[in-house]
Amino acid sequence: MSSKLQLTTLAVLVSAALPAQAALYKVVEVTPGVTGNEAYGTAIQPSGSDASCFDSGASSATCEGYKLAGETRNRPDGFSYREEVPFAMDNSFAYIEDDYDGFEDYCFYQLGYATCEYWASDRWSSWYNETYSSNTPNSLAFIEGSAEKPPGAINTVINSLDPSGQPVGNFSTSSKRNEAFSAVTNSTLTSKAQSRAWASDGTYTVGSTSSKSGIGGERYYYSSAPAIWSASGFVPIPRAGGYEVDDDYYAQGSMRDFYIDSAGGKTYGVGYNNYSDQHMNATIFIGNSATPTSATWSSALIYNAQVDISGDNINSNSVATNINKNLVVVGQAKRSGGFPQNGAASNRLFIVPDASASSITASFFYGGIFFDGAGGEMGGINNFNEIVGRIDSENHREYDGKQRRQRAFIYPYGETSGVSDADKAAITARSAIFKNKAWLLDDLTNGGSESSNNNQYRIYDASDINDAGVISATAVKCSGGYDSTSHNAYCGDGNGTEKVVAVKLVPIAGSDASAIEPRSYDSTATERKGAGLGFGALTMLGLFGFMRKRIK
């Protein structure tokens, strides 16, 4: 036997004796510190200039130490505690004022499920409680075990964490449906009938303000506008078209995220604005100064994601959710129920590679895990152009059928025109860790020394990602582990109890593309039957509502 063959044989034997690769992420469950049947991760603490947690010398204490913000639920929202209007599109308030019938009509006309009676019943009961009954708190916010409840708060949500780890969000009181809160306060803001805060850099905060409280006799028929503020300045962004009130429709707008381009002397915001026919369209807001509260603002419609396309209302609404320092914008557009695509009126995810381009056009995610007409929810994007969220993991027909199951994903988009020369190598290297393609995050938590721990979780939603690579997420947990490592494994042979929990996905130091061990699928169809399943684990499909953050 040749020495070369002997060495090759030895290498194979040694390789076989070594443990499997260690996956890319460790799943770290977070204790909420507040009561609630189910816990959801909504934001992760920014990492600033800290090193990547994928680096071989990365500190596990540092990487696991980034704080996660989250919320608990005992029942679904009546309609999203985050959104300016019901279902992110009902700016005539027609659906919501019809009580249960309106919820069922929205589901029938805009989602098309065969299960609309069940879908509406769950949400109507919550709306009834919040509007006509005891108003028992449902959404309790937390940051790594510590409750976050502003004085007088009933339901509280956290949309993001600022660079110092302070929460940014909104809460309801007995006199206002929504009141913004962040470390940046402003007297003009607090005088508004309603307000919401979405993102902050510690000096400026963006969100929206509304003309009525949304409580009592004013719960319907209010308008909102995008806004940006500092401790000393408050600027409402002009409407892009239409009027505050047009027949039965009320203008709406919101700024969800922003980036100050100091070198270029501009500020870029993203969200949605009100256009002709009172359409709510994804928008890039452009301020002509690096001092946002001194800028003159204009709105750039994001084409291909707008409501009206060639004379038809192809979408019911759209929103740009996040922007990074490379001026990459991500967002989502809800397909109208009258124009389903591939059997679903889905919430499609899109990207705009350059917010400063002369023509702004959305490209919808497609290819790999993103099939034609796939719906989901955008989570966020970091400065490495890594995008997280959730996406349909099934492609059966939803219209006249059942909701598709969804799972969390990561998409390393790679270089774009706005990436500086100094950052190109780092972005290319990070993308290579993922083999330069999108993955369901369950595929990246499989294998190696963390396999047993990670097999207790299936990752449903990824809501945020920082530059170190740590992700805030929500998972379904089977204590002790699922029956196998497959995507569709049973919990306790189908009789186990699953729980919805908030988790962080922490990169395992030194991991690279060779660590990826995709999960398989069991050949037997799986339908979970756990007696402990709550509403969230049963649906796990769109629980936080439509067009929620987000959240960065």
Side-chain angles (χ1 to χ4, degrees):
M1 181 182 292
S2 71
S3 59
K4 181 178 180 179
L5 181 57
Q6 290 176 26
L7 288 172
T8 302
T9 304
L10 178 61
V12 170
L13 293 172
V14 169
S15 174
L18 291 174
Q21 293 287 348
L24 287 186
Y25 295 98
K26 175 183 180 180
V27 183
V28 178
E29 187 175 344
V30 173
T31 302
V34 293
T35 59
N37 293 336
E38 300 170 349
Y40 299 82
T42 62
I44 198 70
Q45 181 180 0
S47 57
S49 59
D50 293 354
S52 168
C53 288
F54 285 106
D55 290 353
S56 58
S59 164
S60 60
T62 298
C63 293
E64 292 185 27
Y66 294 113
K67 299 292 186 181
L68 176 141
E71 301 150 15
T72 59
R73 292 289 193 278
N74 292 313
R75 58 184 186 273
D77 305 0
F79 71 85
S80 172
Y81 302 128
R82 296 184 155 81
E83 293 297 339
E84 281 76 18
V85 294
F87 315 124
M89 58 82 68
D90 185 16
N91 57 341
S92 69
F93 299 90
Y95 286 121
I96 203 71
E97 71 177 348
D98 285 343
D99 294 333
Y100 171 82
D101 289 342
F103 280 85
E104 189 171 22
D105 284 347
Y106 172 79
C107 181
F108 181 80
Y109 289 110
Q110 290 297 331
L111 302 177
Y113 304 149
T115 55
C116 280
E117 185 175 334
Y118 170 80
W119 185 97
S121 179
D122 259 4
R123 286 153 182 81
W124 157 245
S125 62
S126 283
W127 173 245
Y128 182 89
N129 178 76
E130 294 161 13
T131 308
Y132 306 113
S133 188
S134 63
N135 206 12
T136 304
N138 182 36
S139 180
L140 301 181
F142 63 89
I143 299 178
E144 290 279 327
S146 298
E148 292 292 331
K149 186 178 180 182
I154 300 173
N155 291 308
T156 306
V157 296
I158 296 176
N159 291 321
S160 61
L161 294 174
D162 72 16
S164 61
Q166 296 300 304
V168 182
N170 54 271
F171 62 96
S172 62
T173 68
S174 59
S175 61
K176 291 186 179 183
R177 177 167 174 82
N178 283 288
E179 178 99 52
F181 74 100
S182 72
V184 181
T185 59
N186 181 284
S187 59
T188 301
L189 178 77
T190 55
S191 70
K192 297 294 184 178
Q194 283 194 77
S195 57
R196 294 163 179 80
W198 286 87
S200 179
D201 65 359
T203 300
Y204 299 98
T205 299
V206 296
S208 67
T209 61
S210 300
S211 61
K212 292 185 179 181
S213 68
I215 295 293
E218 296 185 330
R219 71 172 59 94
Y220 310 128
Y221 318 128
Y222 54 80
S223 63
S224 63
I228 185 167
W229 61 88
S230 65
S232 58
F234 176 87
V235 179
I237 308 301
R239 293 185 177 89
Y243 307 92
E244 181 176 3
V245 182
D246 185 4
D247 196 12
D248 295 332
Y249 293 88
Y250 292 76
Q252 308 294 333
S254 179
M255 192 181 297
R256 302 296 175 87
D257 198 9
F258 71 108
Y259 175 71
I260 298 175
D261 179 11
S262 298
K266 291 184 178 181
T267 302
Y268 294 90
V270 297
Y272 71 89
N273 208 342
N274 180 78
Y275 291 80
S276 60
D277 294 327
Q278 301 297 73
H279 291 158
M280 299 158 57
N281 288 329
T283 296
I284 295 173
F285 304 101
I286 304 168
N288 64 353
S289 170
T291 304
T293 51
S294 299
T296 298
W297 288 86
S298 61
S299 295
L301 173 71
I302 299 178
Y303 289 96
N304 202 35
Q306 75 270 30
V307 171
D308 187 328
I309 299 177
S310 300
D312 291 318
N313 289 350
I314 301 297
N315 296 307
S316 64
N317 60 306
S318 60
V319 60
T321 57
N322 301 91
I323 185 172
N324 66 9
K325 74 174 187 178
N326 306 316
L327 301 186
V328 179
V329 175
V330 292
Q332 51 203 23
K334 168 67 174 67
R335 193 88 176 183
S336 171
F339 293 89
Q341 180 182 12
N342 194 21
S346 55
N347 196 40
R348 298 178 299 157
L349 309 184
F350 67 76
I351 188 166
V352 176
D354 184 3
S356 67
S358 57
S359 179
I360 306 295
T361 303
S363 296
F364 289 97
F365 291 4
Y366 184 73
I369 63 173
F370 306 114
F371 59 86
D372 183 34
E377 194 77 32
M378 187 60 72
I381 183 172
N382 64 12
N383 289 319
F384 287 89
N385 289 350
E386 293 163 348
I387 304 165
V388 296
R390 69 176 187 261
I391 197 71
D392 288 341
S393 59
E394 301 172 326
N395 64 357
H396 60 257
R397 183 179 179 85
E398 280 192 325
Y399 227 74
D400 298 324
K402 64 179 182 178
Q403 293 171 269
R404 296 166 178 166
R405 191 180 303 274
Q406 295 184 333
R407 286 293 181 262
F409 73 86
I410 185 167
Y411 181 12
Y413 194 74
E415 280 191 38
T416 53
S417 59
V419 175
S420 69
D421 290 340
D423 293 334
K424 287 181 178 179
I427 288 178
T428 299
R430 280 278 282 263
S431 182
I433 293 173
F434 303 96
K435 299 183 179 180
N436 305 306
K437 66 177 184 177
W439 293 88
L440 295 180
L441 280 164
D442 281 337
D443 283 324
L444 307 183
T445 63
N446 185 39
S449 60
E450 293 296 334
S451 187
S452 179
N453 171 68
N454 287 356
N455 193 44
Q456 297 182 102
Y457 306 93
R458 294 296 182 268
I459 313 302
Y460 161 65
D461 185 33
S463 57
D464 195 10
I465 182 170
N466 65 20
D467 288 345
V470 182
I471 299 169
S472 60
T474 301
V476 183
K477 180 183 181 181
C478 176
S479 293
Y482 286 92
D483 294 354
S484 74
T485 61
S486 67
H487 278 285
N488 56 340
Y490 284 104
C491 177
D493 198 29
N495 297 307
T497 298
E498 294 173 290
K499 185 178 181 181
V500 181
V501 297
V503 298
K504 289 184 285 192
L505 301 185
V506 181
I508 297 171
S511 293
D512 59 23
S514 66
I516 298 175
E517 294 184 26
R519 296 183 187 274
S520 61
Y521 285 89
D522 289 337
S523 57
T524 303
T526 302
E527 184 176 349
R528 295 190 174 95
K529 305 174 183 178
L533 284 172
F535 71 86
L538 281 169
T539 60
M540 278 284 90
L541 292 162
L543 175 66
F544 262 17
F546 306 92
M547 312 285 288
R548 89 172 143 75
K549 140 175 196 264
R550 106 195 172 280
I551 289 175
K552 175 186 173 186

